Amino acid sequence: MMSPIIFPRGQCNLMEPGNDTQTSEFLLLGFSEGPELQPLIFGLFLSMYLITVFGNLLILLAVSSDSRLHTPMYFFLANLSFVDICFTSTTVLKMLWNIQTQSKVITYEDCITQVNFFIIFSGLDICLLAIMAYDRFVAICHPLQYTVIMSPRLCALLVLVSWITSVLHSLLQTSTVLWLSFCTVVEIPHFFCELNQMIQLACSDTFLNNVVMYFAAILVGGGPFIGILYSYCKILSSIRGISSAQGKCKAFSTCASHLSVVSLFYCTGLGVYLSSAATQGSHSSATASVMYTVVTPMLNPFIYSLRNKDIKGALKRFSVMAVRKGPIVLRLKNFPGLQASKS
């Protein structure tokens, strides 16, 4: 990987040979409270991370183990759960490691890698939410053609296109960062390497980076958001055409969970943007980012499982199967001769 051009602080514009250095480390300030609060922060984020991983793994197990959930909607939900695990792991694990080792240092290579994967998985979240909105649109507005339109081939193709789009977007953003020069002591007021923070701390001209960042944000973030709005406008129009109140409630209940997740995702994302724009360089943006990067992936499994009878039924059946298999395995372990006779 290309090493950054790094200049000492206060001499960023000087081009004398003696001014550059090979230092390539950043400091993640994170939540720079006193040392006595660090164990509390560590325990809080570790708990939220474990809940996120456990909850999303349960969704994956429920969808994969129950054939009744092998439908387009739950296929996309399983992909979203996998992406949420990766998305949270990209940021939280490094923060937990830094707190445990009492170090705030992250190397340039690790920082670029974190930015790369953060952009990939956040882009995948956006794309998958848009695809799920389209899936609900087809299910409610074109129920008779649903199985024909949402074929397994189209579902796999939509997910593949989402991966390709997110990876290309990430490569575009990180490739422009590689040409930036930084001062010797670079302090990132965040608990992870965030693209906008890195661009703000650069000593070189960042006009191209800002153009690419905002253009890609409008294209990658705004495009799916427009698709979501269009889908739900059509859904609401179709629901209004249903005569019975029971039919309206049933139709709306099929997309209530997804609508809750979309609202949570975009509202927290907008909150992070407004917070960082209003208070540049402060730790308030890092605090706001917790809602976007940690809390939202943690709440998604609860939103989908608590409001979804199919998911709750699949989890109950899965737990019953696990309980039934447990005693059988224990009995076999207690009788080695029985195992030998079976073999």
Side-chain angles (χ1 to χ4, degrees):
M1 179 178 294
M2 181 184 297
S3 298
I5 304 171
I6 302 179
F7 299 100
R9 182 176 292 277
Q11 300 179 355
C12 296
N13 295 324
L14 300 178
M15 297 303 294
E16 298 175 9
N19 286 336
D20 59 318
T21 175
Q22 295 301 318
T23 303
S24 57
E25 292 180 344
F26 296 85
L27 295 179
L28 294 174
L29 300 183
F31 306 96
S32 298
E33 283 80 4
E36 66 279 1
L37 292 179
Q38 295 304 310
L40 177 62
I41 296 174
F42 180 86
L44 178 64
F45 275 85
L46 179 61
S47 301
M48 288 192 295
Y49 177 71
L50 292 177
I51 292 172
T52 301
V53 173
F54 182 71
N56 284 287
L57 279 178
L58 282 180
I59 296 293
L60 286 170
L61 288 173
V63 174
S64 60
S65 62
D66 197 323
S67 59
R68 281 168 283 196
L69 300 184
H70 293 174
T71 61
M73 181 177 72
Y74 295 111
F75 171 72
F76 297 133
L77 178 59
N79 278 273
L80 182 66
S81 296
F82 172 75
V83 170
D84 279 342
I85 293 174
C86 298
F87 181 54
T88 307
S89 300
T90 301
T91 57
V92 175
L93 288 181
K94 178 59 181 175
M95 188 197 69
L96 293 176
W97 174 258
N98 283 357
I99 295 176
Q100 184 67 22
T101 58
Q102 297 182 353
S103 171
K104 298 181 179 180
V105 174
I106 184 171
T107 64
Y108 175 80
E109 290 77 10
D110 289 344
C111 197
I112 291 295
T113 302
Q114 192 176 58
V115 169
N116 181 54
F117 282 107
F118 179 82
I119 295 174
I120 288 176
F121 293 122
S122 60
L124 278 170
D125 259 336
I126 295 171
C127 292
L128 286 172
L129 289 175
I131 293 172
M132 294 171 76
Y134 174 72
D135 173 74
R136 294 299 83 205
F137 158 71
V138 176
I140 295 174
C141 299
H142 305 283
L144 298 180
Q145 292 83 28
Y146 177 74
T147 55
V148 177
I149 297 174
M150 301 302 297
S151 63
R153 181 178 179 179
L154 178 62
C155 294
L157 184 62
L158 290 172
V159 173
L160 178 62
V161 170
S162 299
W163 274 95
I164 294 174
T165 303
S166 300
V167 170
L168 291 178
H169 172 220
S170 178
L171 291 176
L172 174 64
Q173 298 281 17
T174 53
S175 62
T176 58
V177 176
L178 293 176
W179 298 99
L180 292 176
S181 56
F182 297 92
C183 299
T184 303
V185 181
V186 180
E187 297 178 346
I188 301 176
H190 227 301
F191 62 92
F192 66 96
C193 288
E194 199 262 335
L195 178 65
N196 188 40
Q197 295 288 346
M198 291 188 68
I199 293 176
Q200 290 179 11
L201 294 173
C203 293
S204 56
D205 181 35
T206 60
F207 175 76
L208 178 61
N209 298 82
N210 286 317
V211 169
V212 171
M213 180 178 64
Y214 288 110
F215 177 77
I218 293 172
L219 189 64
V220 178
F225 182 67
I226 292 173
I228 292 172
L229 288 179
Y230 176 81
S231 297
Y232 274 104
C233 286
K234 290 292 186 180
I235 289 172
L236 290 175
S237 177
S238 180
I239 291 176
R240 288 179 61 185
I242 300 175
S243 57
S244 64
Q246 184 179 1
K248 289 182 178 180
C249 292
K250 184 178 180 181
F252 183 77
S253 64
T254 61
C255 56
S257 298
H258 176 260
L259 188 59
S260 302
V261 171
V262 169
S263 302
L264 183 64
F265 183 86
Y266 276 97
C267 288
T268 53
L270 180 62
V272 171
Y273 174 77
L274 295 176
S275 175
S276 60
T279 56
Q280 292 186 6
S282 70
H283 299 294
S284 60
S285 61
T287 306
S289 294
V290 174
M291 290 294 297
Y292 176 69
T293 59
V294 182
V295 176
T296 300
M298 180 183 69
L299 293 179
N300 285 352
F302 293 99
I303 293 173
Y304 277 105
S305 60
L306 293 178
R307 298 181 60 90
N308 193 302
K309 295 181 180 179
D310 295 333
I311 291 291
K312 288 192 289 187
L315 290 175
K316 288 180 181 179
R317 287 188 289 271
F318 179 80
S319 60
V320 169
M321 289 174 57
V323 170
R324 288 179 178 177
K325 288 182 179 180
I328 297 176
V329 174
L330 290 175
R331 286 197 296 269
L332 288 175
K333 287 183 178 179
N334 292 331
F335 296 96
L338 181 59
Q339 289 180 304
S341 63
K342 284 181 175 294
S343 58

